[in-house]
Amino acid sequence: MEATNEFLTRIPRGSDGKRRWPLELKARIVAETLIEGATVNGVAKRYGLIPSSVSDWRRMARTGKLVLPNLDGMDFVPVQIEGPKPLEVVPAPPKEEAVRWSSLCFALAPFVEGIM
């Protein structure tokens, strides 16, 4: 997503501060919303847009004011996410080490009291 946002900094802005989207880029963004499983909200978010802008561009495409690229063969690649791996159990230190550690903490307490 960062690469997309980095790309958006090169979109020219008008005197009113609004980005001037090239027609080819609008068409590509609209085409992404037509791929099975994609949503207007998801695509808009990926490009840092408000969904209503993308919906407006889709309307332009339906009325013939925006020519879409050929979508034959375009699709998302299915992704399979692995489940979480079990946590490794770390054995407790021997009682003797625990006693030494607590003694050290007790001895250092006056010096670290003001730090926290």
Side-chain angles (χ1 to χ4, degrees), residues 8-68:
L8 295 178
T9 60
R10 295 189 297 252
I11 301 294
R13 292 185 182 267
S15 59
D16 57 358
K18 294 181 180 178
R19 291 186 288 220
R20 302 291 182 218
W21 294 87
L23 290 176
E24 297 82 19
L25 184 55
K26 287 181 183 180
R28 188 176 121 201
I29 292 170
V30 169
E32 285 184 35
T33 67
L34 301 176
I35 297 173
E36 187 178 336
T39 64
V40 170
N41 285 341
V43 173
K45 184 175 181 181
R46 188 167 39 254
Y47 286 94
L49 292 163
I50 56 173
S52 63
S53 294
V54 178
S55 294
D56 289 343
W57 298 346
R58 284 173 54 110
R59 192 174 308 106
M60 287 172 59
R62 279 194 303 272
T63 60
K65 296 177 183 173
L66 185 64
V67 180
L68 299 182

